Amino acid sequence: MNDIQLKVNGQVNPLNIDLTEPILVTWKVFGQTSYSLELLDNKQRSLFKVEENSIKQEQQIDLPNHSERRGYTVKLVCYKEHQEIAHISGEFYTKNHELQQANWITRLDNPIEKENLYFNDKPNIVLKKQVELKGKSQAAFIDICGLGYYTLKINGHRISDAYLNSDVTSYDQRIYYDTYRIDDYLVVGKNTFTVELANGWYNPAPILILGKYNIRKQLAIGKPTMICDIRIEMPTYSERIISDTDWKSSCGPFLQNDLYIGEVFTDQIMPTANVREQTVCISGPTGELVPSFIPKITRQEKIVPHSIIENEQGWVIDFGQIISGQLAFTLPASMTGIVEITYGEAIDETNQLDYASTISGTYGQLKGKEFHQLIIQKDQIIKKRQKALSFSNQYTYHSFRYAFVRKQTNIDTFPLEEVHAYRIFSAVEVITEFDSSSDKLNQLWQAALNTRQNNMHSYFEDCTRERFGYGGDVVALLSSHVATSNIKDLVKKVFLDFVDAQIADGGIPQTAPFVGIMTNGPSNNAGSLGWQLVLPTLAQSLCENYHEEVFVQQYQNILDKHIQYLLRFDFSFIRACCLGDWGAIDSQEEDGVISSPDQSFCTGCMYVILLNAYLKLIAEGIIPPTHFASLNKKMTIAKQTLLEDFNVETGDFAGGTLSSDIFAIQAGLVEEEDRERQMTHLINKIKKNDTIFSFGIFGMSWAYELLFEAGENQLIYDWLMRENSPSYYDMLKTGNAALAEYFPIPTQKKRQPGSLNHAMFSSYSNWFVKALLGLQLTNHQLEINPAIDLPIEWISGSIKTEVGKVAINYQKMPKSIVIEVRIPKELPYVEKISQNYEHSESFLIEGETEKVLTIKVPIKKPMNVSYS
């Protein structure tokens, strides 16, 4: 039973528990009928003890709050019919409330610089502190935040495998810090603490994203800075070291670093004239310091080149797939000079990199940069020493399949050795596995997962070209995120991002943090309606999927303020305040402005959908019914107005696009008795449209849900398997293993160079789980309903739960389809087998730790089976 873990507030051996609320101890032990749990302080004095004849596996404990960090031990003994079956313990430490007493410190250089000086070479900041210890420490901790990004080393050893750290937030509202236990890194005698700082999001370059948004004008920015509190407990004394002017400043090897552009690295650090090696205290950002709780950004996968192609200008390294990642290589001792590397997602027919899909914007008019010079992802390594140099990106990441190494005067042979790349993203746990006899389905599954991971760096990004946290993309993809990964903590963090970003009048911005985008927003700084839908959608998901009602209810004032904001607008005005079904195949462009299909109608429906989202939160008791009548009244007016756009003769809404049909259904414009007829109308239109799902990001996500509920798995399957353009096949046929921003349509003029690493159309993943695997865990029921009538020979997969994996596989035999489901015996769900399996036989075998349910479904007629 050694693999059983105690968790305190959902964490194993946490270091920063906040005692302002009761703590919750949880565990999972198979077969428990009673338990004994004891809580002890750091002197092993018993503070709490309980013995219960119960199968429950959680215990709430109240502890008095205190400002200093203290350690506690939890001891648990579990019994089955009076026989001990588990004896486990864990420890936790409480939050240090005194970090704010430390100082934000930085190196004495220029203050926030003029934008035209930003790209002058200047070594990044390194801060150091030496601490003398007379003996071995008993317990040592550091609470630390470095902005924009930081790397902490103790005695030359990197602490933590996190990259691109700290967590991105609105730093004037909330600042996340990390806590590490550091006993094992300390030695008797001198100890050196080294903190390297980089720009990150706190000191972004003054570039124009999409050619117009200078995010320095919107974000809380400042000079790279650090705050920390080190506590070292010795046998006879204790040490406290805080960040102050006693720390020493020096220069790092990065002359430039920026998220969107790249890094300039040198192996010969030479302080420039505007750098002084002195440490100073500054005011720092104004947000509240709170413990980080989300999975960190880490290097997840090492990828070696697929091929290296030489052309007249240099060498193209092909990694065989599009990744969001960091490059690594070695330069030999004999090589000196400048190595320049640029990155792209595509190449042209002459093996030249095509940068169109990764250009994030322009430099604007800056010193040393041409007016509106395009931003190309680029690293530069300046090697002056005749000593082997190992380089890898530290404070940026690139979206690329191809890396181009340019030939220089003294470099005419490929200079890089041991070349590889790392995929880098927030280390959320993947909980769902999928495999099948269809290569196309397998590629679709992996591409969707890859692309969402590629765009997950302490929040949900739209793509690695823009790197913004758009609320609309979160709405469209949330169900697929939930179905495939354990994103509970990330959902809480992103919910707080939008809480912090709420505008004074109550509106929610297009992105969190707010970066200046407010296209079609109802008021200053507010986002369009589909993007404001993110706030109630995240609240609903936290309650429905993760039982976080108490957490959400802490922010009732924010939700209430948003409701009041939405109710202030006349419908005739607010029905223009959205981008409709953004990204739809049948969108139109005129004078550089893209219009979604039936945009005005779909926008009006989105307003109804938004009001409905709040009515649902009220109905479920998550928020009080204060505005119930007002919401209903406003929604009634909106629906009546929108129904005027319905053509009785054709059965179409507005212009008759697929988007208008599905928006109307999702908004509930169709009365319950007519809903089935309207769904049939939509289905027939899709079939007449050659099974093309021409929806945008919202309509596509809803289509997979609604068509699944209508039993139209074959229609969804036909769309996903479609080969002729437009199709997912067109996105993936190059082997990129990532999805694109738009469906390629050769007959249409390219609207704009969309990203080839964009997650917004990956919403089909939830359908893979519910229909192909056929597993749903809802309302304490395990529903088993794989779509066995599709032309697939076999499928297998699993969903990880707190008590183990629920695994399923089915195989088509000559006379029957055999479904086998393996279920952890402790899973508190009742199995519910689909009524679709007429005349089937089922067998249940119960083992010690799992149940095996076998279902044999007779085949009535031969099926076409896909081996693709």
Side-chain angles (χ1 to χ4, degrees), residues 598 601 642-662 664 669-670 677-678 680-686 688:
D598 290 330
F601 177 80
L642 289 168
L643 284 169
E644 294 173 3
D645 285 337
F646 180 68
N647 187 322
V648 177
E649 292 182 3
T650 64
D652 287 326
F653 287 95
T657 62
L658 295 183
S659 291
S660 61
D661 279 359
I662 204 157
L669 298 191
V670 184
R677 184 168 63 246
Q678 198 63 42
T680 301
H681 181 69
L682 172 63
I683 291 162
N684 289 335
K685 285 170 72 172
I686 294 172
K688 289 178 182 177

Side-chain angles (χ1 to χ4, degrees), residues 55 60 122 204 240 335 402 474 552 671 714:
I55 61 171
Q60 184 172 294
K122 181 170 71 268
R240 185 189 183 197
M335 181 261 153
Y402 304 95
V474 175
V552 171
E671 295 298 330
Q714 183 68 55

